[in-house]
């Protein structure tokens, strides 16, 4: 789910927890402050493009949007949580002027209404307000507490489920495979463990397909979604072909054959898949640990 907002001088939503939903914040553009508090550890990060934050169940969290054109991609598992946004939204709108969003710096507080009625209504959407939570404001270089590693060293993924964590763009684990022709670099956000075997998420950076290697056809048991972040992706699903550019999404139902290739020298996509045996896990089987966000200078 993509959400785009202008900046605001206040929180974008009341501090809250979800008892049943694992919320995943991916910063598509602009700046977002995200707070996550669990197990007596209260952390805040400034997310810029490509950064990721994991908010598992029963984590108190809130966020604030800081730039005029701030866009998040939320993956909320299990499905159905989008009903909250239909409830909060005023209308299904489109503009004859061809603007995708209202061209004004308005930021209402639809998500942060504090009346008792709204708060109790939100509970039916698995949103439980935590009104006593005060987000810490002692950020230094994008992190609170100030001594956390953030854009100045490796980001790591916990080896257990349930703990909130943050990954700075390019600073997390990276794996390289050339088994299917093009180089592909997998940067995991959510592993089978941290996704509790319900879903996984990563980015995949891919080179062009070498001319002498035929494009593999995939057919995965579970659903797959790809969103283009950089470059462009040519995708064949069943007998449809489309070329996707930045922001475009393809959804591939489980049991459907598909092929994909980069139409640029380097393209980057975000992958989200159901289950724990999706495209990322298939690529990782042949991948080796890799230090860089770009590929080798020779073909696989
Ligand atoms: Cu939430």
């Amino acid at each position: 789910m993509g959400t785009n907002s202008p900046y605001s001088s206040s929180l974008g939503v009341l501090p809250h927890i979800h008892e049943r939903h694992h919320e995943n914040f991916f910063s598509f553009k602009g700046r977002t402050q995200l707070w996550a508090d669990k197990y007596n550890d209260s952390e805040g990060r400034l997310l810029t493009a490509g950064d990721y934050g994991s908010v598992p169940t029963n984590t108190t969290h809130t966020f604030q949007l800081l730039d005029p054109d701030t866009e998040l991609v939320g993956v909320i598992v299990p499905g159905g949580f989008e009903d909250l946004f239909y409830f909060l939204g005023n209308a299904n709108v489109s503009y004859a002027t061809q603007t995708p969003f209202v061209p004004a710096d308005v930021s209402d507080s639809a998500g942060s209404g504090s009346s008792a009625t709204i708060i109790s209504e939100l509970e039916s959407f698995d949103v439980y307000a935590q009104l006593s939570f005060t987000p810490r404001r002692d950020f230094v270089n994008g992190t609170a507490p100030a001594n956390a590693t953030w854009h100045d060293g490796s980001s790591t993924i916990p080896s257990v489920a349930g703990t909130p964590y943050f990954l700075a763009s390019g600073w997390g684990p990276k794996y390289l495979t050339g088994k299917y022709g093009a180089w592909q670099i997998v940067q995991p956000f959510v592993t089978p463990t941290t996704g509790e075997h319900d879903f996984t998420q990563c980015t995949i950076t891919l080179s062009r397909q070498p001319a002498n290697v035929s494009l593999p056809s995939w057919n995965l048991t579970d659903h797959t979604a790809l969103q283009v972040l950089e470059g462009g992706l040519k995708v064949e699903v069943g007998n449809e072909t489309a070329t996707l550019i930045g922001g475009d999404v393809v959804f591939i139902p489980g049991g459907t054959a598909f092929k994909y290739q980069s139409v640029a020298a380097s393209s980057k996509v975000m992958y989200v898949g159901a289950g724990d045996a999706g495209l990322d896990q298939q690529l990782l089987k042949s991948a080796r640990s890799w230090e860089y966000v770009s590929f080798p200078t020779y073909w696989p």
Side-chain angles (χ1 to χ4, degrees):
M1 182 167 54
T3 51
N4 186 295
S5 308
Y7 63 90
S8 174
S9 58
S10 55
L11 296 178
V13 63
L14 282 173
H16 62 278
I17 63 165
H18 307 298
E19 292 184 350
R20 294 181 291 106
H21 290 88
H22 184 162
E23 189 165 3
N24 300 271
F25 291 82
F26 175 75
S27 171
F28 190 83
K29 57 183 172 179
R31 294 178 308 141
T32 302
Q33 263 174 325
L34 175 66
W35 290 269
D37 180 289
K38 194 178 184 184
Y39 304 137
N40 295 316
D41 182 21
S42 201
E43 301 275 337
R45 295 290 183 280
L46 179 65
L47 305 184
T48 49
D51 295 344
Y52 164 84
S54 173
V55 175
T57 54
N58 297 310
T59 302
T60 301
H61 61 284
T62 186
F63 56 83
Q64 184 168 342
L65 307 164
L66 301 178
D67 276 326
D69 181 11
T70 300
E71 187 157 335
L72 293 167
V73 180
V75 173
I76 305 173
V77 179
F81 194 82
E82 60 275 14
D83 287 346
L84 169 69
F85 290 78
Y86 302 144
F87 169 74
L88 293 172
N90 323 90
N92 180 14
V93 294
S94 60
Y95 299 98
T97 50
Q98 310 300 319
T99 60
F101 306 110
V102 182
D105 58 352
V106 291
S107 187
D108 69 22
S109 56
S112 57
S114 54
S115 80
T117 325
I118 296 261
I119 287 174
S120 62
E121 275 184 320
L122 294 180
E123 292 188 354
S124 64
F125 294 98
D126 191 30
V127 175
Y128 295 87
Q130 304 292 300
L131 299 176
S132 62
F133 178 77
T134 304
R136 60 191 302 167
R137 294 284 181 177
D138 54 337
F139 281 68
V140 176
N141 292 331
T143 125
N147 60 2
T149 303
W150 189 239
H151 289 271
D152 59 354
S154 295
S155 297
T156 55
I157 300 176
S159 55
V160 293
T163 309
Y165 58 95
F166 306 90
L167 300 170
S169 182
W171 292 96
K174 292 172 277 294
Y175 302 92
L176 175 74
T177 179
K179 181 176 178 184
Y180 302 99
W183 286 118
Q184 299 187 74
I185 299 166
V186 177
Q187 299 189 60
F189 290 157
V190 180
T191 64
T193 298
T194 61
E196 301 185 63
H197 304 280
D198 291 327
F199 74 109
T200 58
Q201 190 175 352
C202 68
T203 60
I204 303 168
T205 308
L206 61 160
S207 74
R208 286 190 202 277
Q209 185 75 1
N212 60 343
V213 185
S214 64
L215 201 56
S217 180
W218 296 89
N219 194 328
L220 301 167
T221 306
D222 292 312
H223 303 325
T224 297
L226 298 171
Q227 181 175 36
V228 174
L229 304 175
E230 296 169 20
L233 196 71
K234 185 178 172 190
V235 185
E236 299 171 58
V237 183
N239 41 26
E240 278 187 71
T241 301
T243 298
L244 281 59
I245 58 170
D248 291 349
V249 173
V250 57
F251 176 77
I252 303 152
T256 310
F258 68 99
K259 297 180 179 184
Y260 64 96
Q261 65 183 301
S262 175
V263 297
S266 174
S267 293
K268 187 177 180 185
V269 300
M270 185 168 68
Y271 162 85
V272 184
D276 60 3
L279 180 62
D280 56 339
Q281 299 306 307
Q282 305 308 316
L283 295 174
L284 287 172
K285 284 180 185 170
S286 59
R288 65 181 192 266
S289 193
W290 182 245
E291 279 182 69
Y292 309 103
V293 295
S294 187
F295 357 94
T297 54
Y298 50 89
W299 287 121

